[in-house]
Amino acid sequence: MEVLKCAVIVLVAAIVAGCVYDYGVGGETKLEKSLVVIEGDIVAGGISEVKISTTANITYHPSTWGDEASTKVEDLYPFDKVCQVWVESSAGEVWPGRDSFYVWKFDEMGSYRQFRRMYVIDTRDLPLDGEYRLCVSYPDRGEYHSYFKRVQRAQDIDSFDFSFKPDTSSIDIVINSSGSEGNTPYYRWKYEEWWENEPPLMPNVKYKGKLDTLSRKEKDSLAKCFDRFASTEIMLENTEKLSGNMVRGKVINTLYREQRKVNALYCITVYQYPLDKEGYDYYEAMRVNADEMGGLFSPYPSEMTGNIVCETYPEELVVGYVNVCTVAKERRFLDGEALKLFNRRKCLDFTTINLDENKVTWLDAYYELDMRPYDCEKKLVPYEPPVEPGEPPKIDYLIERDCGVSYWGTADCHQVLNCYSKPDFWPR
């Protein structure tokens, strides 16, 4: 979303300047070309990740259909063009990249996942005293590169912890950082969350046209689910005018008791990136225009052109900025189950449905209200087995598959949509 807002702003500027670009929005005007968007950091001592797209490719196709979404690479819908990506030093050394994939988003019902392509470059052996740039060869578009930049050293993360609000309704995730002499005063943060994603109340039945009992295998699969989220907002800090190069009490994220992510074990990993003045000004311009919606009609900030150029067509505008740096990283776990953070009592408010001849209609109606079945009571029905002529009739009772009474509750309490595999670093 940030890139899209940024791209719309660039569109306004491009029209004013006389260069028109196609954003894939609207169908009346035939525009010349889309903008290339390049996002990423060259990480010395780590793995660099770069994402490349064009502003025309707003809609991505689903990769899989069905009840169980796949995260396998081979299930990707082949939509994006494959670029050649590499890191180059001012001395002519080259670190080649390879294409990979990441889950971009789930659809609204969680029945499939949408993938986008990214590029991974192993820059763990990048010397810290060099100058580097990112190079991209885009099919049918041309050659692109960022400007050579020296490696910015990451500031130290002094502490990183959870802080309860006085009323205990929420928890702030707070970081304290400081830079040594010679460190840049400009900071940027990203974070990634993982949490155990089993339902607060394990359902015993499922509904697909009728109610069926969940098998042990299905219950086990729900109990081994994980969900994740990566930050999208731009988080910056500037200590240039402070007496010391220190950041104190920076709130990275806030957790609330009603969130499913504090149902059991929760993990957050924070990445701290240093920026130079040019990089800080670029991200600050992006942040202001993303946060302040009136920015579409304000003067266009030249900083948003970033530090990437097209060698093939030097007049082409390119959206994006490539930073060159080391990264400080910290990870923390929070045991919401042990701290009793999640309020499970809200999940005990069931709606009882007595099934009758219109049971399917009733079930559909409740399903559309974002409710899901938790359990049901089987009913006994009389059954008369066949007998030989002259023998008295026999009446047996059998349990019918359909339920006589079912209990429905909030969907969030009884189902799991996003189900990733357990990450390698998970402690249990």
Side-chain angles (χ1 to χ4, degrees):
M1 181 59 72
E2 294 166 359
V3 172
L4 181 56
K5 289 178 180 177
C6 167
V8 175
I9 295 162
V10 177
L11 172 62
V12 176
I15 292 174
V16 173
C19 299
V20 183
Y21 290 84
D22 178 9
Y23 278 79
V25 179
E28 297 181 0
T29 305
K30 294 294 184 180
L31 303 178
E32 294 177 5
K33 60 190 299 188
S34 59
L35 288 175
V36 171
V37 181
I38 300 176
E39 307 171 281
D41 295 272
I42 298 174
V43 178
I47 303 297
S48 301
E49 295 180 349
V50 178
K51 298 172 184 177
I52 302 171
S53 60
T54 59
T55 51
N57 294 343
I58 293 174
T59 303
Y60 285 79
H61 294 269
S63 61
T64 60
W65 296 88
D67 302 328
E68 296 183 2
S70 172
T71 55
K72 295 180 180 179
V73 170
E74 55 266 29
D75 292 330
L76 175 73
Y77 188 94
F79 188 73
D80 294 333
K81 290 188 175 180
V82 181
C83 300
Q84 297 297 317
V85 177
W86 65 96
V87 168
E88 183 177 276
S89 73
S90 57
E93 297 173 282
V94 171
W95 288 259
R98 60 178 177 83
D99 62 304
S100 183
F101 307 97
Y102 68 102
V103 179
W104 179 43
K105 63 179 291 187
F106 292 84
D107 81 319
E108 292 181 358
M109 297 303 294
S111 59
Y112 63 80
R113 293 169 181 168
Q114 295 180 346
F115 290 79
R116 290 179 72 174
R117 190 183 304 275
M118 70 176 179
Y119 299 86
V120 177
I121 310 164
D122 187 348
T123 47
R124 287 176 292 184
D125 63 345
L126 217 66
L128 298 180
D129 57 353
E131 293 185 341
Y132 306 96
R133 69 179 182 181
L134 180 74
C135 300
V136 175
S137 180
Y138 197 115
D140 303 324
R141 295 295 301 246
E143 307 295 315
Y144 299 80
H145 66 76
S146 61
Y147 298 132
F148 282 112
K149 299 184 75 70
R150 299 193 66 82
V151 178
Q152 293 283 336
R153 307 292 182 96
Q155 305 93 331
D156 294 328
I157 296 178
D158 299 328
S159 65
F160 172 40
D161 215 338
F162 301 97
S163 175
F164 279 85
K165 290 286 181 64
D167 61 358
T168 70
S169 62
S170 61
I171 303 172
D172 284 336
I173 301 171
V174 181
I175 196 167
N176 296 308
S177 297
S178 62
S180 58
E181 185 176 352
N183 269 123
T184 175
Y186 306 107
Y187 297 71
R188 179 169 65 101
W189 293 274
K190 296 180 183 178
Y191 66 81
E192 182 182 51
E193 299 173 291
W194 284 87
W195 60 93
E196 294 176 350
N197 196 32
E198 67 180 50
L201 289 177
M202 183 65 70
N204 294 308
V205 294
K206 62 182 177 181
Y207 171 66
K208 287 193 173 179
K210 64 177 182 177
L211 292 176
D212 281 328
T213 302
L214 281 173
S215 67
R216 171 53 56 188
K217 183 179 180 180
E218 288 173 316
K219 284 192 173 187
D220 287 345
S221 68
L222 291 177
K224 296 176 182 178
C225 277
F226 288 79
D227 203 353
R228 68 175 292 274
F229 176 78
S231 58
T232 56
E233 69 271 30
I234 299 174
M235 292 179 284
L236 303 170
E237 199 67 59
N238 176 7
T239 64
E240 190 176 22
K241 297 181 180 180
L242 301 180
S243 57
N245 188 4
M246 295 182 294
V247 174
R248 292 292 177 262
K250 177 72 173 181
V251 178
I252 298 297
N253 194 17
T254 300
L255 302 173
Y256 298 91
R257 284 186 177 272
E258 63 269 20
Q259 290 179 299
R260 273 274 293 272
K261 61 180 67 175
V262 295
N263 179 28
L265 191 60
Y266 164 89
C267 174
I268 183 169
T269 305
V270 169
Y271 303 90
Q272 182 170 279
Y273 299 80
L275 293 169
D276 57 15
K277 181 67 164 59
E278 179 188 37
Y280 177 83
D281 289 344
Y282 170 82
Y283 283 109
E284 176 64 8
M286 283 191 64
R287 185 193 65 78
V288 169
N289 280 279
D291 293 346
E292 300 175 10
M293 294 303 293
L296 286 176
F297 306 101
S298 60
Y300 169 71
S302 61
E303 294 87 352
M304 291 187 65
T305 55
N307 67 344
I308 305 168
V309 296
C310 178
E311 295 180 16
T312 311
Y313 303 102
E315 72 282 0
E316 179 180 341
L317 292 175
V318 185
V319 178
Y321 187 89
V322 175
N323 190 34
V324 183
C325 63
T326 62
V327 178
K329 170 184 170 182
E330 289 288 343
R331 175 176 290 148
R332 291 288 184 274
F333 287 89
L334 179 70
D335 195 336
E337 189 173 24
L339 295 174
K340 307 297 182 185
L341 295 178
F342 184 77
N343 180 16
R344 281 183 169 80
R345 296 188 63 182
K346 70 178 184 179
C347 292
L348 299 176
D349 185 16
F350 298 123
T351 297
T352 302
I353 303 176
N354 290 294
L355 303 184
D356 54 20
E357 65 275 6
N358 295 320
K359 58 185 177 182
V360 174
T361 303
W362 276 103
L363 293 180
D364 288 339
Y366 279 96
Y367 208 84
E368 290 173 359
L369 292 175
D370 204 29
M371 300 181 71
R372 299 293 184 270
Y374 168 65
D375 208 346
C376 69
E377 297 177 2
K378 302 289 185 179
K379 62 180 181 181
L380 293 175
V381 294
Y383 170 67
E384 295 186 20
V387 296
E388 296 294 332
E391 291 186 6
K394 299 178 181 179
I395 298 179
D396 291 333
Y397 286 89
L398 298 178
I399 297 178
E400 189 180 43
R401 283 187 62 83
D402 290 339
C403 300
V405 178
S406 63
Y407 306 99
W408 292 61
T410 304
D412 188 54
C413 292
H414 308 137
Q415 74 172 4
V416 170
L417 290 181
N418 305 343
C419 190
Y420 290 91
S421 300
K422 182 172 70 173
D424 295 338
F425 57 81
W426 209 253
R428 66 186 186 190

